Amino acid sequence: MDRRSFLKKAGVAGAGAATAAATTLATPAIAQGNMELKMVTTWPKNFPGLGTGAQRVADRITAATEGRITVKLFAAGELVPPFESFDAVSTGTADMYHGAEYYWQGKHKAFNFFTAVPMGLTAPEIDAWVNHMGGQALWDELSAQFNIKPFQAGNTGVQMGGWFAKEINSIEDIKGLKFRMPGLGGEVLRRLGANVVALPGGEIFPALQSGAIDGTEWVGPWNDLAFGFYKVVKFYYWPGFHEPGSSLGVGMNKGVYDKLSKADQQIIADACMAENNYMYSEFVANNGNALETLVNDHGVQLREFPEPVWDAFGAVSEEVVAEVADGDDLGKRVYESYLKARQAAGGWTKISMQAYTIARDRVLGV
Ligand code: CA
C-alpha cells in the first residue's frame, strides 16, 4: 500500500518531465534516505508462522517508514540457499536475514543460546534473559564479530520432540537412527548414538520420504502438519528436550544499520519486537487445533518420552551445553549469563506458570 503510493507519487512527479529530467529526479529520492533493503530467510516461501513472520517484519518496517525503507523479502533459495543467509548479510549481499541463530553454530557455538539449547529457557524466559538479564549485550558482541546487529523477531514456544517410525521405549532405541535435528540438541542425539543431520526446513520431507532420514524434529503441530510428516511416520513425541522456546532472529548488516537515523533504527527494533510477541501468540493459537487434526484425521500416535530417556537427554544436554564455555571467553560469558538466567527465571516459573497450569489441569482438565 505504502510502496504503491510512493511509486504513484514518483510517477506523478515524473509525468510532465522529459526523460533526462526524470533521471535526475532519482537523485533527491536517494538523498532523502529512500532505500530498498533485501531480507533473506531460512524459511520456505510463505511458510506458516516462520515465512509469514519474516514477511510481517519486512512489511512493518516498510509501513512504519511510509516506504522510505522498503524491505523486500527473499524466501529460502530465492537469493541465497537458506543456510547461507548469515554470510550473505555479513558480507552485504543481503541487508538482513530472518532465521534461527543456531543455524550459525559453525561460526560460533554461542549462537545456539540465542535460539534455544537443550534443557534451556522457555519463550518468556529467553525474552527475560535477552531484554533484562544481559543477553542482548552479549548477543550484540557476538554478532558484531561478523558485522551483524541482531534482534529477537519471533518465537515458536515449546517444540515437539519429533517424528519417529518406531516407539522410543529406551535410550537403546535412539542408537543408529538417522535423524534431523539442528543445534546442540542434534549433538546430544549424536552422543546417544544417532546419526544426526541439520537439514533446512524445505529439505526435510523429501529426505524422510526417500529414507535418507528415519525421523525428524521440526517445530510443533501447526508447522509439522503443513509439511505433512504424518504421511511417512506416525509416532509423534512430546515435548522436545532440545528446543523449549526457540527464539527466532533478525540479523542486519551492521554497516547498513549504523548508517540509519536513530528513528529508523528504533523502527527496525520495534518491528522485530512486535513480531517476537505476535508470532509466539500465533503458535499458541494454532498448535492445539493442528494437534487434533493430526491425531483425529491422520492417525498420528502421540507418545511421551519415558523418564529414563529424559534422564539421558538431560545428563548429556548439560554436558554438551557446558562445552560451549570451553571455546573462548565470549562463549564462557554467554554460557554463564544464560545459566544464571535459567536459575533465576526458572525458579519463578516453577511456582507461577508451571504450578498454575498443573493445578488448572488437575481441577478442570485443561
Ligand atoms: Ca526445531
Side-chain angles (χ1 to χ4, degrees):
M1 198 76 79
D2 295 293
R3 179 162 163 71
R4 272 207 303 276
S5 69
F6 164 70
L7 290 173
K8 201 170 142 196
K9 272 181 217 154
V12 169
T19 310
T23 308
T24 61
L25 282 174
T27 311
I30 291 162
Q32 285 159 21
N34 289 315
M35 61 172 83
E36 183 176 280
L37 300 180
K38 294 189 185 80
M39 180 193 275
V40 291
T41 70
T42 55
W43 321 120
K45 196 169 187 62
N46 292 325
F47 191 77
L50 304 172
T52 52
Q55 184 68 59
R56 286 188 299 247
V57 174
D59 291 347
R60 278 196 185 94
I61 296 166
T62 305
T65 59
E66 297 186 305
R68 276 185 299 102
I69 302 176
T70 301
V71 181
K72 186 169 164 47
L73 182 72
F74 296 86
E78 286 186 338
L79 190 65
V80 294
F83 285 174
E84 285 173 30
S85 298
F86 184 90
D87 282 342
V89 172
S90 180
T91 57
T93 303
D95 302 295
M96 54 210 298
Y97 64 76
H98 188 284
E101 296 290 278
Y102 63 12
Y103 291 145
W104 329 133
Q105 68 163 332
K107 305 288 180 188
H108 197 298
K109 286 260 190 276
F111 276 114
N112 286 292
F113 290 98
F114 300 98
T115 301
V117 300
M119 309 302 276
L121 302 173
T122 64
E125 290 170 351
I126 197 170
D127 288 358
W129 177 54
V130 171
N131 290 327
H132 302 287
M133 302 170 93
Q136 184 71 54
L138 289 163
W139 194 10
D140 285 347
E141 187 181 341
L142 174 63
S143 295
Q145 295 181 3
F146 303 93
N147 190 36
I148 285 172
K149 164 66 187 166
F151 303 90
Q152 284 188 296
N155 201 303
T156 65
V158 180
Q159 298 201 0
M160 288 290 280
W163 296 84
F164 296 80
K166 58 170 192 177
E167 287 188 312
I168 303 300
N169 295 315
S170 81
I171 213 68
E172 291 300 308
D173 294 322
I174 301 284
K175 286 186 183 150
L177 278 183
K178 291 175 286 177
F179 203 83
R180 184 267 180 191
M181 183 180 281
L184 294 181
E187 177 58 21
V188 172
L189 287 194
R190 197 186 65 75
R191 288 191 197 184
L192 290 169
N195 298 307
V196 180
V197 292
L199 300 168
E203 294 176 24
I204 303 174
F205 187 79
L208 202 55
Q209 210 170 26
S210 73
I213 54 174
D214 307 312
T216 186
E217 73 79 58
W218 171 230
V219 179
W222 183 40
N223 278 180
D224 294 7
L225 173 64
F227 269 153
F229 303 137
Y230 63 84
K231 293 172 192 164
V232 186
V233 279
K234 290 292 184 194
F235 293 109
Y236 196 23
Y237 272 80
W238 60 276
F241 75 98
H242 61 301
E243 294 190 63
S246 294
S247 179
L248 306 172
V250 160
M252 187 159 184
N253 179 283
K254 199 169 176 306
V256 172
Y257 177 77
D258 287 344
K259 283 192 196 111
L260 295 176
S261 68
K262 291 281 178 230
D264 287 344
Q265 288 179 347
Q266 189 66 51
I267 284 170
I268 285 168
D270 289 350
C272 292
M273 189 173 277
E275 183 56 31
N276 197 53
N277 182 32
Y278 193 85
M279 187 193 291
Y280 178 46
S281 67
E282 192 179 27
F283 274 96
V284 174
N286 287 304
N287 273 330
N289 289 338
L291 186 61
E292 276 186 26
T293 303
L294 285 168
V295 172
N296 297 336
D297 301 349
H298 300 302
V300 167
Q301 301 283 311
L302 271 183
R303 292 287 186 278
E304 186 178 9
F305 288 118
E307 265 187 29
V309 172
W310 264 103
D311 292 343
F313 285 160
V316 179
S317 293
E318 288 296 271
E319 227 176 75
V320 166
V321 173
E323 285 170 16
V324 179
D326 301 336
D328 62 9
D329 170 66
L330 181 54
K332 185 168 187 287
R333 283 185 289 126
V334 172
Y335 168 74
E336 285 173 354
S337 172
Y338 187 92
L339 237 60
K340 213 171 144 190
R342 187 178 67 174
Q343 192 66 28
W348 169 239
T349 298
K350 196 183 291 185
I351 62 157
S352 57
M353 179 92 84
Q354 178 183 328
Y356 170 73
T357 52
I358 289 172
R360 186 178 66 182
D361 180 56
R362 184 179 63 76
V363 177
L364 304 176
V366 285

